[in-house]
Amino acid sequence: MSQTPPSVVLVTGVSGFLGGHLAARLAANPDIDRVLGVDTVPPPRDLLKRMGRAEFVRADIRNPLISKVISSASVDTVVHASLSASPGSAGGRATMKEMNVIGTMQLLAACQKATTVRRVVLKSTTAVYGSSPRDPAVFDEATGPKDLPSGGYAKDAAEIEGYLRGFRRRRPDVTTTVLRFANFIGPRIDTVLTRYFALPVVPTVLGFDARVQLLHEEDALAVLERAATHELPGVFNVAADGVLMLSQAIRRAGKVAVPVPSSAVGPVSRILRGARVVDFSPEQMRFLNFGRVVDLQRLREEFGFVPRWTTTQAFDDFVRGQALSPVLGAERIEAIERGVLSVARALR
């Protein structure tokens, strides 16, 4: 491992929490000459202000014109942090897949053409391992899923990692780093999982108690920053030490678990989506059934990073942050409680 500070860094997805705050961190590094933040929409005003000297470029990575952005700025490091896990926020599953898969294909094609590019970092997910009752106790980077992801974010991520492997064969001179992140948690980040644990009553699947491994938002940013500024080729699981049982996490959040039969999972998910509270996908529901735990040996020994927060500490920090303000109004709480309980009763 060597540290070779980049000259010009391009970060995708800067309107989101991770991309925007990563751009801000890189812009604060005096060894980096220029930071470009790319997205289809501008970051929120406070995030844009935090980004400092980072330059926002309004561009769609699905468009081949992204190649001009990279070549004209002589970009040498690309951090692809825009992969979306939520169909609702992306404008539907079809749009999400197009942004994730087609966008990555165009971005990698642009990187392949640009002779200045020497480092590509991909924000991926441990969801590529899937979640099933036949899973090993712990996944390492060489372990394949027992059941291949059939759709959603996990399938997108698996396809994208395949495209990056093809890119690496065509451009062996470029360092490629794949970061398979566990579910993010923290006081500021907004994800499907943080919304799930913020529900007043938390639906769980009757008879299951998943092992949950998380990652604090600040550790996620530190890992991305390290990957962008060091030569660290390879695939790395990124998660916090330790696990929480789903039931433990719900209790630590001060919430009430409502176990529902597996046949009620679909209807309950539709209720939550209809209330625009939590946009659950089938893969996310499988995760809440079976959980997922990954090995961190390569992260510590080869990548050189030890997470500051354990899973429990990260979750408790999220709980403290969420306690600062009410999550939902009384009417919505009552409607969700009625809907979840009525579905559970009907399917008993």
Side-chain angles (χ1 to χ4, degrees):
M1 184 271 295
S2 64
Q3 181 176 5
T4 310
S7 297
V8 182
V9 185
L10 182 143
V11 181
T12 67
V14 292
S15 66
F17 177 87
L18 286 177
H21 284 84
L22 174 64
R25 286 188 173 213
L26 296 173
N29 186 338
D31 294 328
I32 299 174
D33 296 332
R34 192 178 179 191
V35 178
L36 303 178
V38 173
D39 214 319
T40 54
V41 295
R45 185 175 300 177
D46 59 335
L47 182 54
L48 190 61
K49 184 177 180 181
R50 184 184 291 268
M51 285 166 57
R53 67 183 178 96
E55 305 165 45
F56 172 66
V57 179
R58 190 165 191 160
D60 190 334
I61 61 171
R62 293 172 294 179
N63 193 310
L65 290 176
I66 190 66
S67 184
K68 290 187 177 180
V69 176
I70 291 174
S71 60
S72 62
S74 298
V75 171
D76 59 76
T77 298
V78 174
V79 182
H80 187 22
S82 66
L83 270 64
S84 173
S86 174
S89 61
R93 171 59 188 146
T95 303
M96 171 181 151
K97 182 176 179 64
E98 188 175 303
M99 287 295 293
N100 285 347
V101 178
I102 305 301
T104 301
M105 290 174 66
Q106 290 288 2
L107 181 67
L108 292 177
C111 291
Q112 184 178 332
K113 293 177 185 176
T115 57
T116 56
V117 172
R118 57 182 172 83
R119 183 183 296 137
V120 174
V121 178
L122 173 66
K123 177 183 82 73
S124 188
T125 170
T126 57
V128 297
Y129 299 120
S131 291
S132 84
R134 301 185 296 119
D135 285 346
V138 179
F139 285 100
D140 64 28
E141 288 84 352
T143 310
K146 295 295 182 182
D147 293 309
L148 289 170
S150 58
Y153 178 49
K155 185 178 181 183
D156 290 355
E159 290 183 27
I160 287 165
E161 287 193 16
Y163 296 139
L164 187 64
R165 287 192 293 272
F167 168 82
R168 188 171 63 242
R169 288 191 295 269
R170 294 186 292 272
R171 285 289 305 271
D173 58 308
V174 176
T175 298
T176 58
T177 306
V178 177
L179 303 171
R180 291 176 177 166
F181 286 105
N183 291 81
F184 303 119
I185 202 88
R188 296 184 295 164
I189 197 166
D190 178 25
T191 70
V192 171
L193 201 64
T194 62
R195 292 184 182 190
Y196 170 77
F197 284 118
L199 290 171
V201 288
V202 183
T204 61
V205 184
L206 186 65
F208 293 89
D209 195 7
R211 294 178 304 151
V212 178
Q213 188 179 27
L214 304 170
L215 181 70
H216 195 282
E217 61 196 33
E218 292 296 331
D219 278 331
L221 287 168
V223 167
L224 283 165
E225 183 180 16
R226 182 171 176 79
T229 55
H230 292 69
E231 298 287 339
L232 293 163
V235 180
F236 302 94
N237 291 331
V238 187
D241 286 309
V243 299
L244 278 171
M245 303 305 292
L246 183 60
S247 58
Q248 290 178 303
I250 293 170
R251 287 196 297 271
R252 295 184 83 89
K255 305 296 181 178
V256 177
V258 180
V260 297
S262 56
S263 55
V265 168
V268 169
S269 298
R270 286 193 289 274
I271 289 170
L272 295 175
R273 281 198 299 270
R276 296 185 178 181
V277 177
V278 181
D279 186 14
F280 276 127
S281 67
E283 70 194 89
Q284 288 155 348
M285 293 309 302
R286 284 193 297 273
F287 171 72
L288 294 175
N289 271 26
F290 307 112
R292 187 187 308 116
V293 180
V294 297
D295 180 77
L296 304 178
Q297 184 176 354
R298 290 199 68 196
L299 179 70
R300 294 192 192 92
E301 296 180 1
E302 296 182 34
F303 192 87
F305 184 85
V306 177
R308 178 180 170 188
W309 283 268
T310 65
T311 288
T312 299
Q313 290 168 343
F315 189 82
D316 288 347
D317 197 36
F318 153 73
V319 171
R320 284 191 295 270
Q322 288 295 318
L324 296 176
S325 59
V327 179
L328 299 171
E331 291 183 5
R332 186 172 289 187
I333 290 174
E334 186 178 349
I336 292 171
E337 288 177 344
R338 285 199 307 269
V340 171
L341 292 173
S342 65
V343 169
R345 283 194 296 267
L347 293 173
R348 279 176 184 166

Coordinates of all heavy atoms in Angstrom, one line a residue, residues 198-201 255 275-277 322 325-338:
A198 N -36.8 3.9 13.0 CA -37.5 5.1 13.6 C -39.0 4.9 13.6 O -39.7 5.8 14.2 CB -37.1 6.3 12.7
L199 N -39.6 3.8 13.1 CA -41.0 3.6 13.2 C -41.5 3.5 14.6 O -40.8 3.0 15.5 CB -41.4 2.3 12.4 CG -41.2 2.4 10.9 CD1 -41.4 1.0 10.3 CD2 -42.2 3.3 10.3
P200 N -42.7 3.9 14.9 CA -43.2 3.8 16.3 C -43.4 2.4 16.7 O -43.2 2.0 17.8 CB -44.5 4.6 16.2 CG -44.9 4.7 14.8 CD -43.6 4.7 14.0
V201 N -43.9 1.6 15.8 CA -44.0 0.1 16.0 C -43.3 -0.5 14.8 O -43.5 -0.1 13.7 CB -45.5 -0.3 16.0 CG1 -46.1 0.1 17.3 CG2 -46.3 0.1 14.9
K255 N -38.3 1.1 20.8 CA -39.5 0.8 20.0 C -40.2 -0.5 20.4 O -39.7 -1.3 21.2 CB -39.1 0.8 18.5 CG -38.3 2.0 18.0 CD -39.2 3.3 18.1 CE -38.4 4.5 17.6 NZ -39.3 5.7 17.6
A275 N -47.6 4.9 3.0 CA -47.5 6.1 3.9 C -46.3 6.9 3.7 O -46.1 7.9 4.4 CB -47.5 5.5 5.3
R276 N -45.5 6.5 2.7 CA -44.3 7.2 2.3 C -43.3 7.3 3.5 O -42.7 8.3 3.7 CB -44.6 8.6 1.7 CG -45.3 8.5 0.4 CD -45.5 9.9 -0.2 NE -46.2 9.8 -1.5 CZ -46.5 10.8 -2.2 NH1 -46.2 12.0 -1.9 NH2 -47.1 10.6 -3.4
V277 N -43.2 6.2 4.3 CA -42.4 6.2 5.4 C -41.1 5.3 5.2 O -40.0 5.8 5.3 CB -43.1 5.6 6.7 CG1 -42.2 5.5 7.9 CG2 -44.3 6.5 7.0
Q322 N -31.6 10.6 16.6 CA -33.0 10.6 16.3 C -33.9 11.1 17.4 O -35.0 11.6 17.1 CB -33.4 9.1 15.9 CG -32.9 8.7 14.5 CD -33.4 9.5 13.4 OE1 -34.6 9.8 13.3 NE2 -32.5 9.8 12.5
S325 N -35.6 15.0 17.7 CA -36.8 15.5 17.2 C -37.8 14.4 16.9 O -37.4 13.3 16.6 CB -36.6 16.3 15.9 OG -36.0 15.5 14.9
P326 N -39.1 14.6 16.9 CA -40.1 13.6 16.6 C -40.0 13.1 15.2 O -39.7 13.9 14.3 CB -41.4 14.3 16.9 CG -41.2 15.7 16.8 CD -39.8 15.9 17.3
V327 N -40.2 11.8 15.0 CA -40.0 11.3 13.7 C -41.3 11.4 12.8 O -41.3 11.8 11.7 CB -39.6 9.8 13.8 CG1 -39.5 9.2 12.4 CG2 -38.3 9.6 14.5
L328 N -42.4 11.1 13.5 CA -43.7 11.1 12.8 C -44.8 11.9 13.6 O -44.7 11.9 14.8 CB -44.2 9.7 12.5 CG -43.3 8.8 11.6 CD1 -43.8 7.4 11.7 CD2 -43.3 9.3 10.2
G329 N -45.7 12.4 12.9 CA -46.9 13.0 13.6 C -47.8 12.0 14.2 O -47.8 10.8 13.8
A330 N -48.6 12.4 15.1 CA -49.5 11.4 15.8 C -50.5 10.7 14.8 O -50.8 9.5 15.0 CB -50.3 12.2 16.9
E331 N -51.0 11.4 13.9 CA -52.0 10.8 13.0 C -51.4 9.7 12.1 O -51.9 8.7 11.9 CB -52.6 11.9 12.0 CG -53.5 12.9 12.8 CD -54.1 13.9 11.8 OE1 -53.9 13.7 10.6 OE2 -54.8 14.8 12.3
R332 N -50.1 10.0 11.6 CA -49.5 9.0 10.8 C -49.1 7.7 11.7 O -49.2 6.6 11.2 CB -48.2 9.5 10.1 CG -47.6 8.6 9.2 CD -46.5 9.2 8.3 NE -47.0 10.1 7.3 CZ -46.3 10.7 6.4 NH1 -45.0 10.5 6.3 NH2 -46.8 11.5 5.5
I333 N -48.6 8.0 12.9 CA -48.3 6.9 13.8 C -49.6 6.0 14.0 O -49.5 4.8 13.9 CB -47.8 7.4 15.2 CG1 -46.5 8.1 15.0 CG2 -47.8 6.3 16.2 CD1 -46.0 8.7 16.3
E334 N -50.7 6.6 14.3 CA -51.9 5.9 14.5 C -52.3 5.1 13.3 O -52.7 3.9 13.4 CB -53.1 6.8 14.9 CG -54.3 6.1 15.3 CD -55.4 7.1 15.8 OE1 -55.1 8.3 15.9 OE2 -56.6 6.7 15.9
A335 N -52.2 5.7 12.1 CA -52.6 5.0 10.8 C -51.7 3.8 10.6 O -52.2 2.7 10.2 CB -52.5 6.0 9.7
I336 N -50.4 3.9 10.8 CA -49.5 2.8 10.6 C -49.7 1.7 11.6 O -49.8 0.5 11.2 CB -48.0 3.3 10.7 CG1 -47.7 4.3 9.5 CG2 -47.0 2.1 10.6 CD1 -46.4 5.0 9.6
E337 N -50.0 2.1 12.8 CA -50.2 1.0 13.8 C -51.5 0.2 13.5 O -51.5 -1.0 13.6 CB -50.4 1.7 15.2 CG -49.1 2.2 15.8 CD -49.4 2.9 17.1 OE1 -50.5 3.3 17.4 OE2 -48.4 3.1 17.9
R338 N -52.5 0.9 13.1 CA -53.8 0.3 12.7 C -53.6 -0.7 11.5 O -54.0 -1.8 11.5 CB -54.9 1.3 12.3 CG -55.5 2.0 13.5 CD -56.8 2.6 13.1 NE -56.7 3.4 11.9 CZ -56.5 4.8 12.0 NH1 -56.4 5.4 13.1 NH2 -56.4 5.5 10.9

